[in-house]
């Protein structure tokens, strides 16, 4: 038996990933400022047991990140304990410089386990709204509360972003946005079809989108057990935006302005 999927074969735990694999994952996940901070700490360390590295690792508050950094230290000790931090910092910079497809980023609401690095839905939703520079498209079955998200939509409009809100009429979701200026475009499903508008999407321009189960409500963004993913890049986000633009296009007769 080759050991792959055999009845008595134990799965290889994530902690046994190679140092190169862990570094690649961190380079894909960390934003530029956090990556630069990690590289600076690495560059001044003598090895994986440097207290400064332990402190930096323990100080990370993003769900799952401190565990991923700790995994990198363990892989470093296991594979090349004599490798100086400056050499590993150079390897991190080289890995970051290689273009690679943006990974799908998991997003959750509710309890966060240690199995995979995740971000919380509420914070991700705000970040995506803030990132919009020309257009913002939000779809939700229900909407209430979520004051921070509504405020971010207001700020997006203040900086000239065109905002389209595709909402289910039967849930009175549009009332959550009553404070927004008249420039916001609210859309409801046309006609008397038995179906409802059940999609959940936040798309900034054509570069970033959050797709998942969470409505734009306080509980869905924080307390409910919800699951979603963040997509990045025009190849992934563009077709989604095009689909919803088609839904609200005049010729489709599928949705109407509220």
């Amino acid at each position: 038996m080759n050991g792959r999927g055999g009845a008595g074969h134990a799965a290889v735990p994530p902690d046994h990933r190679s140092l190169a694999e862990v570094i690649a994952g961190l380079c894909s996940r960390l934003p530029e400022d956090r990556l630069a901070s990690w590289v600076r700490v690495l560059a001044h360390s003598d090895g994986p047991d440097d207290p400064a590295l332990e402190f930096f690792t323990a100080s990370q508050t993003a769900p799952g990140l401190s565990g991923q950094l700790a995994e990198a230290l363990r892989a470093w000790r296991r594979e090349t304990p004599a490798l100086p931090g400056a050499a590993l910092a150079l390897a991190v910079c080289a890995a970051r410089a290689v273009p690679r497809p943006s990974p799908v980023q998991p997003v959750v609401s509710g309890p966060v386990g240690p199995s995979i690095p995740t971000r919380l839905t509420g914070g991700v939703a705000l970040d995506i709204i803030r990132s919009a520079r020309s257009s913002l498209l939000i779809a939700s079955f229900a909407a209430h509360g979520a004051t921070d998200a509504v405020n971010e939509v207001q700020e997006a409009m203040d900086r000239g972003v065109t905002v389209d809100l595709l909402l289910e009429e039967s849930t009175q979701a549009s009332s959550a946005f009553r404070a927004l200026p008249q420039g916001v475009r609210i859309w409801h499903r046309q006609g008397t079809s038995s179906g409802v508008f059940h999609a959940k999407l936040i798309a900034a321009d054509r570069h970033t989108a959050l797709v998942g189960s969470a409505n734009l409500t306080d509980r869905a963004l924080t307390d409910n057990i919800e699951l979603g993913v963040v997509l990045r890049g025009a190849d992934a986000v563009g077709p989604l935006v095009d689909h919803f633009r088609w839904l609200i296009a005049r010729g489709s007769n599928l949705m109407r302005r509220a």
Side-chain angles (χ1 to χ4, degrees):
M1 184 178 295
N2 63 10
R4 291 184 180 271
H9 177 67
V12 177
D15 198 44
H16 286 180
R17 292 191 302 168
S18 70
L19 179 58
E21 290 174 318
V22 180
I23 287 175
L26 283 165
C27 288
S28 297
R29 181 186 182 192
L30 287 172
E32 291 295 339
D33 59 338
R34 195 69 57 83
L35 185 71
S37 297
W38 187 43
V39 166
R40 283 195 295 271
V41 177
L42 283 172
H44 291 90
S45 66
D46 294 326
D49 296 316
D50 192 311
L53 286 170
E54 297 285 356
F55 178 81
F56 179 84
T57 297
S59 67
Q60 303 308 305
T61 58
L65 179 54
S66 62
Q68 198 171 1
L69 288 166
E71 183 186 358
L73 295 180
R74 291 192 293 272
W76 187 2
R77 293 188 191 102
R78 185 174 64 247
E79 294 182 21
T80 54
L83 186 74
L88 189 57
L90 181 61
V92 171
C93 291
R96 183 66 168 186
V98 176
R100 58 174 57 86
S102 297
V104 173
Q105 176 188 354
V107 178
V108 301
S109 301
V112 177
S115 58
I116 53 174
T118 58
R119 290 190 63 197
L120 298 178
T121 307
V124 171
L126 297 181
D127 285 348
I128 293 177
I129 296 171
R130 291 184 191 121
S131 73
R133 291 296 174 265
S134 61
S135 64
L136 179 65
L137 192 151
I138 296 177
S140 191
F141 172 74
H144 54 78
T147 304
D148 290 343
V150 174
N151 290 340
E152 288 297 337
V153 173
Q154 169 74 72
E155 293 193 16
M157 296 184 69
D158 290 345
R159 62 178 180 267
V161 174
T162 300
V163 177
D164 288 286
L165 306 176
L166 288 70
L167 305 170
E168 169 57 29
E169 188 171 18
S170 67
T171 64
Q172 300 181 334
S174 60
S175 62
F177 303 95
R178 65 168 67 95
L180 294 178
Q182 292 184 347
V184 66
R185 302 190 296 196
I186 296 176
W187 303 86
H188 295 317
R189 188 168 180 178
Q190 183 90 280
T192 58
S193 171
S194 60
V196 298
F197 187 86
H198 205 249
K200 292 93 176 180
L201 171 75
I202 301 177
D205 306 323
R206 298 173 69 84
H207 59 68
T208 311
L210 169 61
V211 182
S213 64
N215 286 302
L216 203 64
T217 69
D218 285 340
R219 292 187 63 183
L221 296 178
T222 55
D223 298 329
N224 293 351
I225 295 179
E226 307 277 2
L227 176 66
V229 293
V230 176
L231 305 177
R232 293 187 173 86
D235 288 345
V237 178
L240 286 175
V241 173
D242 290 341
H243 174 68
F244 284 92
R245 295 288 177 205
W246 171 75
L247 287 175
I248 63 178
R250 180 177 300 177
S252 72
N253 295 317
L254 295 170
M255 303 195 75
R256 57 177 173 80
R257 286 281 297 271

